[in-house]
Amino acid sequence: MRFDTVTIKDIAKALNFSTSTISRALRGSYEISAETKKLVLEYAEKINYRPNPIALSLKERRSRSIGVVVSEIANNFFSEAINGIESIAYNCGYHVIITQSHESEEREKVNVQHHASRSVDGLLISLSSETVDLTYLKELYEKGLPIVFFDRITDEIDTHKVTANNYLGAMHATEHLIFQGFKKIAHITNSPYLSITKERLRGYTDALEKHNIPFNESLIKYCNRGGMVIEEIEDAMAELFKGKTKPDAIFTASDRITTLCFGVIKDLKQKIGFIGFTNTKVGQLFDPPLTVVKQPAFEIGQTATELLIQMIESKRPVLEFETKILDTELIIRESSLKKE
Amino acid sequence: MRFDTVTIKDIAKALNFSTSTISRALRGSYEISAETKKLVLEYAEKINYRPNPIALSLKERRSRSIGVVVSEIANNFFSEAINGIESIAYNCGYHVIITQSHESEEREKVNVQHHASRSVDGLLISLSSETVDLTYLKELYEKGLPIVFFDRITDEIDTHKVTANNYLGAMHATEHLIFQGFKKIAHITNSPYLSITKERLRGYTDALEKHNIPFNESLIKYCNRGGMVIEEIEDAMAELFKGKTKPDAIFTASDRITTLCFGVIKDLKQKIGFIGFTNTKVGQLFDPPLTVVKQPAFEIGQTATELLIQMIESKRPVLEFETKILDTELIIRESSLKKE
DNA sequence: TTGTAGGCGTTATCAA
DNA sequence: TTGATAACGCCTACAA
């Protein structure tokens, strides 16, 4: 604070004690007389004393805060996940500091380093769609910064990870389209670097294989910026409908990609099957109502936070790590049903 | 950081200088030999020295960060506003720390105090729908914490404020419904404490008056928790359709209230005119496509941040304050058009 | 040009 | 039971 604040010194001066006595009284140390303690506590209360967390951070090298890095908060999955994170963190006495990478590797790095240098006690991160190089994260982790990955995870760092069952989610979505009678199912997805992209793609291809539908590379479109720019969506869709094999259904892989593609389809007046991975609360209101694969975002946030706090508060270094995989939910509405 | 970090001391030891020399070299002071400076800078670079921002905060009583308090990030208006805030803040070298009040006065207070004690250099706040008592904010402000209000502002504190033109936005929306031939226009809005609620209500009533449509109190419904709980929406709608005067159109006043009401209308299979204050990106996809009053959220965030940084960096106390009011945009789609 | 000392707010250690 | 001192990392007034 740039402005005047009450410090332990002020109390000491007012009450004619040393700062150490005040400190002990405030933190309830037992090596102090009940009388002094009462005096100090009452006075502190009266003048509304609050310990300076910055001084504490400097001294203790911890801040009772957790850093979060996500690609975008304007995304239903992430905002729900953040609510899950907060719900646990606040109960455990931690503050949550949120930053956005906007799908930029550079921005992500800056954010992580900011968190680290500000003494967050641990980090929750969902990687950006650009991210390839994790060496700086690995270094921080090896230096002792507890990190838990959620949603967009990585094999390169051995720690706790929490994610949705992207494989099964994608498989069920694809199978649902197959059962409806769709045969040329396109998949519009995120950057190929991302774990979630690979898992969802595998769910998709395995579903095709299981039902003897030939895989067609040209029906897969990657949006490397995760739908951050509308052009990549429009290009993907244009290529798709210009291609030799026109799709009769589309399965999209993320919040942003889903709504953008749905809009393009609508503009093109295409009547095709549609399912998207999204946590939007308004799919029901769409025309046609949107079939979605919904992730347990809140729970993912909660679980990741529990694991992180466990790591932070563990006395010995944690050596056994879990990868928790939470089930998705297929919510079937009209958009994925075959007409006629 | 709980883990080892390079400090000025380490450099001093390695290079056989005092810490002050190192400090001066690093901050480019002129009272130092070019040679020493070069030596220090090169070594610092080599071992990847980063100043500890916590130590700096403690010393300088500032942190080059801005605290933001909004009710919910899972809200298109706020997530866009935050992007606006970040865009300016990062350019000026400030970090942005986001917290959510979840429309709770208590939570808001905790967040503000956390920001203040963590030495944010200034605060951007949009009040929660519960907030009545602003004395603690006033105290902080008077102690010297720069505060700029945006969106949900207050008369009780004399500082910069940035908001949308809620009055005209509401007036134009209502007039549009009137022009369409609707006569019994309901208004479902937020808590009556909020500035935005009052302004929008005034726009609504003035529009009615201008066109000689009698005002009917029973067509106004307040959602005190801002649509945080679906029940308050359902109750409001139930009362509305149970009342003597059934509405033929609805004008809703916030993101959450809009989508929830739209859903209820759909369930009730009511065909009535509908306009909502919302920044959703998917109104076009709704059935029927949603007419919206869109706020310049990004610009509101930017403007508020510019004003805040101006206050923070001003040498003399700022005494002249502005209230900037930015225009909304009425985007007309089918939902507000009279059929038949 | 460089070094010493003190301070930002707090706590731990040791001495009284 | 209480107080003095040093330390966390950095900066700066003052001394050399």
Side-chain angles (χ1 to χ4, degrees):
Chain A
M1 274 182 276
R2 348 159 67 184
F3 40 91
D4 289 341
T5 314
V6 181
T7 73
I8 261 187
K9 245 190 213 163
D10 300 319
I11 306 185
K13 212 171 292 171
L15 262 43
N16 244 319
F17 280 111
S18 74
T19 55
S20 5
T21 304
I22 307 299
S23 173
R24 276 190 281 252
L26 288 170
R27 44 193 11 260
S29 165
Y30 48 90
E31 46 175 12
I32 199 163
S33 79
E35 201 186 351
T36 316
K37 197 171 187 167
K38 185 159 162 262
L39 203 64
V40 172
L41 288 178
E42 272 170 7
Y43 186 72
E45 174 71 44
K46 194 183 119 210
I47 62 173
N48 196 25
Y49 167 80
R50 294 273 172 274
N52 179 332
I54 304 224
L56 287 175
S57 291
L58 182 60
K59 183 137 227 334
E60 299 176 4
R61 283 129 158 253
R62 62 175 302 179
S63 58
R64 291 207 79 83
S65 63
I66 289 174
V68 178
V69 183
V70 299
S71 54
E72 285 284 309
I73 55 176
N75 173 310
N76 299 286
F77 173 78
F78 288 119
S79 50
E80 278 180 45
I82 287 170
N83 287 343
I85 291 169
E86 285 191 346
S87 73
I88 300 293
Y90 284 126
N91 276 338
C92 298
Y94 288 84
H95 277 278
V96 174
I97 300 172
I98 304 155
T99 56
Q100 310 184 63
S101 68
H102 298 287
E103 305 287 9
S104 146
E105 175 165 24
E106 176 58 26
R107 194 73 169 266
E108 179 172 278
K109 190 171 172 184
V110 170
N111 286 340
V112 169
Q113 278 165 346
H114 174 247
H115 282 308
S117 68
R118 285 253 154 220
S119 288
V120 294
D121 298 342
L123 194 64
L124 292 171
I125 182 167
S126 170
L127 297 170
S128 95
S129 56
E130 273 184 18
T131 303
V132 184
D133 184 11
L134 289 168
T135 44
Y136 77 98
L137 257 184
K138 217 179 284 181
E139 279 170 23
L140 280 171
Y141 182 61
E142 278 159 11
K143 275 196 195 166
L145 178 69
I147 300 179
V148 171
F149 289 90
F150 72 101
D151 179 46
R152 298 145 167 219
I153 61 180
T154 174
D155 288 334
E156 291 189 41
I157 297 184
D158 191 26
T159 179
H160 293 309
K161 291 154 201 172
V162 184
T163 177
N165 197 329
N166 293 297
Y167 173 74
L168 273 188
M171 167 158 247
H172 291 154
T174 312
E175 279 195 294
H176 166 68
L177 289 170
I178 295 171
F179 294 148
Q180 285 293 315
F182 295 109
K183 301 240 183 304
K184 290 170 292 180
I185 303 168
H187 181 38
I188 309 197
T189 187
N190 222 307
S191 144
Y193 302 134
L194 294 174
S195 62
I196 54 173
T197 300
K198 293 175 201 153
E199 292 159 14
R200 290 170 193 175
L201 184 59
R202 203 160 49 79
Y204 162 86
T205 52
D206 280 9
L208 294 185
E209 195 181 330
K210 182 169 162 194
H211 297 279
N212 299 310
I213 298 190
F215 171 76
N216 183 337
E217 182 72 47
S218 73
L219 288 176
I220 310 292
K221 298 291 170 200
Y222 297 95
C223 299
N224 290 326
R225 305 262 347 256
M228 290 289 290
V229 283
I230 176 77
E231 288 75 20
E232 60 178 349
I233 303 288
E234 288 169 343
D235 292 352
M237 296 297 273
E239 281 180 34
L240 214 50
F241 285 103
K242 234 175 29 205
K244 239 189 2 238
T245 320
K246 300 209 184 352
D248 57 6
I250 293 187
F251 165 45
T252 54
S254 82
D255 213 279
R256 232 185 169 94
I257 294 175
T258 299
T259 48
L260 290 174
C261 283
F262 194 84
V264 173
I265 293 289
K266 211 165 171 174
D267 290 345
L268 294 176
K269 303 223 190 310
Q270 293 284 344
K271 293 280 178 204
I272 64 181
F274 200 102
I275 295 189
F277 249 87
T278 169
N279 275 42
T280 179
K281 292 187 187 67
V282 294
Q284 172 70 54
L285 308 180
F286 283 18
D287 176 28
L290 184 65
T291 297
V292 300
V293 182
K294 188 179 165 195
Q295 301 181 69
F298 192 86
E299 291 75 16
I300 289 177
Q302 288 191 309
T303 310
T305 310
E306 282 162 359
L307 290 170
L308 182 66
I309 292 180
Q310 216 173 285
M311 278 177 88
I312 292 172
E313 298 186 346
S314 158
K315 305 286 178 228
R316 317 175 291 283
V318 181
L319 298 169
E320 297 265 304
F321 299 108
E322 303 180 62
T323 295
K324 297 217 181 187
I325 298 184
L326 280 62
D327 284 341
T328 60
E329 184 186 359
L330 180 64
I331 301 175
I332 297 174
R333 302 200 186 95
E334 250 180 66
S335 74
S336 61
L337 303 184
K338 189 128 187 178
K339 286 102 198 166
E340 96 241 276
Chain B
M1 273 182 276
R2 349 159 66 187
F3 38 90
D4 289 342
T5 314
V6 181
T7 74
I8 262 188
K9 244 192 215 166
D10 299 320
I11 306 185
K13 212 172 292 171
L15 262 43
N16 244 321
F17 280 111
S18 75
T19 56
S20 29
T21 304
I22 308 299
S23 173
R24 277 190 279 251
L26 288 171
R27 43 193 11 263
S29 164
Y30 47 91
E31 46 175 10
I32 199 162
S33 79
E35 201 185 350
T36 315
K37 196 171 190 167
K38 186 160 162 260
L39 203 64
V40 172
L41 288 177
E42 273 170 6
Y43 186 71
E45 174 71 44
K46 194 182 118 208
I47 62 172
N48 196 27
Y49 167 80
R50 295 273 172 273
N52 178 333
I54 304 223
L56 287 174
S57 291
L58 182 60
K59 177 134 240 310
E60 298 176 3
R61 283 129 156 247
R62 64 175 298 175
S63 58
R64 290 207 80 82
S65 63
I66 289 173
V68 178
V69 183
V70 298
S71 54
E72 285 284 308
I73 55 175
N75 173 310
N76 298 286
F77 173 78
F78 289 119
S79 51
E80 279 180 45
I82 288 171
N83 288 344
I85 291 169
E86 286 191 345
S87 74
I88 300 293
Y90 284 124
N91 277 339
C92 298
Y94 289 84
H95 276 278
V96 174
I97 301 174
I98 305 155
T99 56
Q100 310 184 61
S101 68
H102 298 288
E103 305 287 9
S104 147
E105 176 165 25
E106 174 58 26
R107 192 73 169 266
E108 179 173 279
K109 190 170 172 185
V110 169
N111 286 340
V112 168
Q113 278 164 346
H114 175 247
H115 282 309
S117 68
R118 284 254 153 220
S119 288
V120 294
D121 298 342
L123 194 64
L124 293 171
I125 182 166
S126 170
L127 297 170
S128 96
S129 55
E130 273 184 16
T131 303
V132 184
D133 183 12
L134 290 168
T135 43
Y136 77 98
L137 257 184
K138 217 180 285 182
E139 279 170 22
L140 280 171
Y141 182 62
E142 278 159 11
K143 277 195 194 167
L145 177 69
I147 300 179
V148 171
F149 289 90
F150 73 101
D151 178 46
R152 297 146 168 220
I153 63 181
T154 175
D155 287 335
E156 290 189 39
I157 298 184
D158 191 27
T159 179
H160 294 309
K161 292 155 202 172
V162 183
T163 177
N165 197 329
N166 293 297
Y167 174 73
L168 272 189
M171 166 157 250
H172 291 155
T174 312
E175 281 196 292
H176 166 68
L177 289 171
I178 295 171
F179 294 149
Q180 285 293 314
F182 295 108
K183 301 240 183 301
K184 290 170 293 178
I185 303 168
H187 182 38
I188 310 199
T189 187
N190 222 307
S191 145
Y193 301 134
L194 293 174
S195 62
I196 54 173
T197 299
K198 293 175 202 154
E199 292 159 14
R200 290 170 194 175
L201 184 59
R202 203 159 50 78
Y204 162 87
T205 52
D206 280 9
L208 293 185
E209 195 180 329
K210 181 168 162 195
H211 297 280
N212 299 310
I213 298 191
F215 171 75
N216 183 338
E217 182 72 48
S218 72
L219 288 176
I220 311 291
K221 297 291 170 200
Y222 297 96
C223 299
N224 290 326
R225 305 263 345 257
M228 290 289 289
V229 283
I230 176 76
E231 288 76 20
E232 62 177 350
I233 303 289
E234 288 168 344
D235 292 352
M237 296 298 272
E239 281 180 35
L240 215 49
F241 285 103
K242 234 175 27 204
K244 239 190 359 237
T245 319
K246 300 209 185 352
D248 57 5
I250 293 188
F251 164 45
T252 55
S254 83
D255 213 280
R256 233 187 170 92
I257 293 175
T258 299
T259 48
L260 290 174
C261 283
F262 195 83
V264 174
I265 292 288
K266 211 166 171 173
D267 289 345
L268 294 176
K269 304 224 187 313
Q270 292 284 345
K271 292 280 178 205
I272 64 182
F274 200 102
I275 295 190
F277 249 88
T278 169
N279 275 41
T280 179
K281 292 187 186 68
V282 295
Q284 172 69 54
L285 308 180
F286 282 18
D287 175 28
L290 183 66
T291 297
V292 300
V293 183
K294 188 180 165 193
Q295 301 183 70
F298 192 86
E299 291 76 15
I300 289 177
Q302 288 190 309
T303 309
T305 310
E306 282 163 359
L307 290 171
L308 182 66
I309 292 180
Q310 216 173 285
M311 278 176 89
I312 292 172
E313 298 187 346
S314 158
K315 305 285 178 231
R316 318 175 290 283
V318 181
L319 297 169
E320 296 265 304
F321 299 107
E322 304 180 61
T323 296
K324 297 217 180 186
I325 298 184
L326 280 61
D327 284 341
T328 60
E329 185 186 357
L330 179 65
I331 302 175
I332 298 174
R333 303 201 185 94
E334 250 179 66
S335 73
S336 61
L337 304 184
K338 190 130 186 176
K339 285 102 198 167
E340 95 243 273

